[in-house]
Amino acid sequence: MKKNFTLLILFIFSLAACAPKGPATLIVMTHDSFAVSEEVVATFEQANNVQVTFLASGDTGAALNKAILTKDAPLADVFYGVDNTFISRALEAGIFEPYQSPALTDVPASFQLDPTHQLTPVDFGDVCINYDKAYFVENSLPVPASLEDLLKPDYNGLLTVENPATSSPGLAFLLATLAHFGDSGYLDFWAALRDNGLVVVNDWETAYYTNFSASSGQGPQPMVVSYGSSPPAEVIFAESPLDDAPTASIVGADTCFRQIEFVGILKGTQNRALSEKFVDFMLSQDFQEDMPLQMFVFPINQNATLPDEFVQYAQIPSQPAQLDPTEIAANREAWIQAWTETVLR
């Protein structure tokens, strides 16, 4: 009887061992602007028997701070959202594990800024000055073609920018001026811009939706620091169908700053293999082609197809402003402080 009972117990345990396991959980920490279609994520989950949980953690800087502060007890397996203004800081913190995705063969070398492969590029976007097309036509005013043009008296009081101390696009535009004029000349440009009626606000929402004349706020300034993807967004989200975008971007040399966003596997993950698959997934055509209409960024997979609205209305600068990430990390705070003293005081 005892032998039969023992055999029964062994049989039950063998059945339990053979039973299909439930899905694993993969946690992905992101900034608050992250978005992806449910059906795209579901494809990854079904293919890998995993449930993906996204942990929104504030803006890019706040999310990175959280990842660094919790590196001894990571809150997630994967981190998405580090951009090229924070990449040096992220790498110096030592919170990522190296992984060279095979999908990088479809990514141009210009986006691969980390030779250690701790951070893998996922998308890019250009911070540009957007302008109200109707305003310039109605006032027979040429659109500025360069940063220097903005100093002409014709454009007095016509530009709104965001404070680089409180706004990501504001910081990006400050970096564009540094790339163009250099450390020795950028403050002279900003002082002249201030004297030419520059308007400064704290955040992109206020700049775009309150001050910009082509937005819902019908504000007083026909130029605003925004994104290269803003013109197609105007068409996509218009209350009534539009035949053309009411806005466009100034894309002359160094007038736009290119932001590149990255994903990395956090040290201490217990899901290394799944984390690698998720990085590969973010570079796949399915994910890359979903991003433009979810986060209004551009894919870095050269095989990805852009939505028609992006093809028709977005302008990609041929010579975006760029700065070495290590230079940004070393000087960011000093540059912002100097800008504040020059422009706001």
Side-chain angles (χ1 to χ4, degrees), residues 31 60 80-83 120-124 259-263 297:
H31 55 53
T60 298
Y80 161 80
V82 174
D83 66 28
T120 301
V122 174
D123 60 78
F124 77 93
Q259 292 180 316
I260 304 169
E261 292 187 301
F262 299 82
V263 62
V297 293

Side-chain angles (χ1 to χ4, degrees), residues 152-236:
K152 294 178 180 178
D154 286 346
Y155 306 114
N156 187 291
L158 300 187
L159 173 64
T160 297
V161 304
E162 301 87 354
N163 187 332
T166 56
S167 165
S168 174
L171 174 59
F173 186 62
L174 171 61
L175 297 177
T177 67
L178 274 150
H180 187 69
F181 294 105
D183 196 37
S184 61
Y186 83 104
L187 290 177
D188 291 337
F189 167 77
W190 280 100
L193 202 57
R194 176 201 61 201
D195 294 341
N196 202 34
L198 176 70
V199 177
V200 180
V201 298
N202 280 334
D203 55 80
W204 177 84
E205 287 78 9
T206 301
Y208 199 88
Y209 292 117
T210 300
N211 287 72
F212 189 35
S213 61
S215 71
S216 55
Q218 298 291 296
Q221 280 81 45
M223 292 187 290
V224 64
V225 170
S226 189
Y227 298 94
S229 57
S230 294
E234 286 288 341
V235 175
I236 292 165

Side-chain angles (χ1 to χ4, degrees), residues 107-158:
V107 176
S110 60
F111 294 114
Q112 300 185 42
L113 303 185
D114 175 21
T116 68
H117 297 291
Q118 294 175 67
L119 288 169
T120 301
V122 174
D123 60 78
F124 77 93
D126 296 308
V127 173
C128 305
I129 295 174
N130 282 202
Y131 64 92
D132 179 350
K133 292 197 281 190
Y135 178 93
F136 285 88
V137 171
E138 292 166 5
N139 290 275
S140 301
L141 191 63
V143 176
S146 66
L147 294 176
E148 288 85 354
D149 281 354
L150 296 171
L151 303 180
K152 294 178 180 178
D154 286 346
Y155 306 114
N156 187 291
L158 300 187

Side-chain angles (χ1 to χ4, degrees), residues 43-58:
T43 301
F44 175 81
E45 291 177 324
Q46 292 165 11
N48 296 283
N49 191 31
V50 63
Q51 180 178 343
V52 180
T53 299
F54 295 105
L55 181 63
S57 301

